[in-house]
Amino acid sequence: MRTIRVFFLVILAIVLMLLAAANRQLVTVSLVPEALAQFAGGRWSLTMPAFVALFLAMVFGVLVGLVWEWLRESHLRAESSRRAHDLAQLQREVGDLRRTHAAPRDDVLAILDESGRKPAAPAGSGSTLPAPR
């Protein structure tokens, strides 16, 4: 998997370098239309090589996509957090139940439980020894 990732990154780097070499001419990028620039109070344009403008546009698109997906999936994160909270609460309840049932019991109930588990000795054996297992 690492080899595939490195191969993909090498191919991507080669493509981006070829793109940069082919688009070195200068372009002017204006953030505000010329008609509105006088009202905006200043020069809202920048002159740069075309590949820089292209790379900035790609980075801007990736950032907008990340923010968009983060906002779109907010309900999934909330649901996951709620389920994690419910799971933690259920695990605490199970732990409490295990501690409650593992606690020492009443002596009378313990004797009754033990007598119910052991097989009864045959009546005619005459032996006072415990029954064999």
Side-chain angles (χ1 to χ4, degrees):
M1 195 65 173
R2 180 179 167 93
T3 309
I4 295 171
R5 185 180 307 139
V6 170
F7 177 72
F8 177 74
L9 288 175
V10 167
I11 296 297
L12 182 65
I14 291 171
V15 167
L16 290 177
M17 286 190 295
L18 289 173
L19 186 71
N23 294 292
R24 290 180 297 170
Q25 64 274 14
L26 295 178
V27 294
T28 301
V29 179
S30 297
L31 296 177
V32 178
E34 296 269 340
L36 296 178
Q38 61 184 348
F39 299 115
R43 188 175 151 235
W44 289 82
S45 63
L46 189 63
T47 302
M48 64 183 86
F51 72 91
V52 173
L54 185 64
F55 290 166
L56 287 176
M58 284 191 278
V59 169
F60 180 73
V62 168
L63 291 177
V64 167
L66 287 173
V67 170
W68 184 270
E69 283 300 307
W70 183 77
L71 291 173
R72 189 181 68 85
E73 294 171 353
S74 64
H75 70 281
L76 295 175
R77 287 190 306 277
E79 176 85 14
S80 175
S81 175
R82 186 186 59 78
R83 286 187 182 205
H85 182 269
D86 291 346
L87 178 64
Q89 182 180 1
L90 289 173
Q91 287 175 338
R92 282 193 303 272
E93 288 178 13
V94 168
D96 291 344
L97 288 172
R98 284 184 180 159
R99 281 189 295 279
T100 301
H101 289 312
R105 295 177 292 177
D106 185 32
D107 292 339
V108 174
L109 292 175
I111 292 171
L112 289 174
D113 284 344
E114 290 298 319
S115 66
R117 290 185 193 147
K118 291 182 183 176
S125 70
S127 172
T128 58
L129 295 173
R133 290 186 175 180

